[in-house]
Amino acid sequence: EPATPPHRPPQQQLSFQEIITEIAGEDGGARQQDVTLPFYFICLLHLANEHGLRIEDREDMSDLVISMDQK
């Protein structure tokens, strides 16, 4: 039975690295061994397209910042 993720308060921006770390850490990485970073990125692109998310890089290119697109 999958665990329910902890409730997160809404945030203006999320870090791609922090999201991946949180997902991989939920089960100690046991089920995540076959999931690659490019797969996570493709999922992010799909969600951004479906839900109008904005993806921007940091100035030093160390991470991606995900936010709602304010049209």
Side-chain angles (χ1 to χ4, degrees):
E1 182 175 311
T4 304
H7 175 69
R8 296 178 95 166
Q11 296 180 15
Q12 294 295 322
Q13 297 180 332
L14 296 172
S15 160
F16 183 65
Q17 284 186 357
E18 289 176 8
I19 292 170
I20 300 309
T21 301
E22 186 175 313
I23 291 170
E26 285 182 358
D27 66 352
R31 292 181 294 181
Q32 302 297 323
Q33 63 188 0
D34 295 330
V35 182
T36 63
L37 188 60
F39 179 78
Y40 285 122
F41 184 70
I42 290 169
C43 292
L44 172 61
L45 292 177
H46 173 76
L47 290 170
N49 186 48
E50 290 282 318
H51 298 282
L53 302 177
R54 178 176 293 225
I55 304 169
E56 298 176 294
D57 61 339
R58 295 203 189 268
E59 280 188 34
D60 64 357
M61 306 278 282
S62 65
D63 197 4
L64 297 173
V65 177
I66 305 153
S67 60
M68 292 297 292
D69 190 8
Q70 303 296 323
K71 292 183 179 180

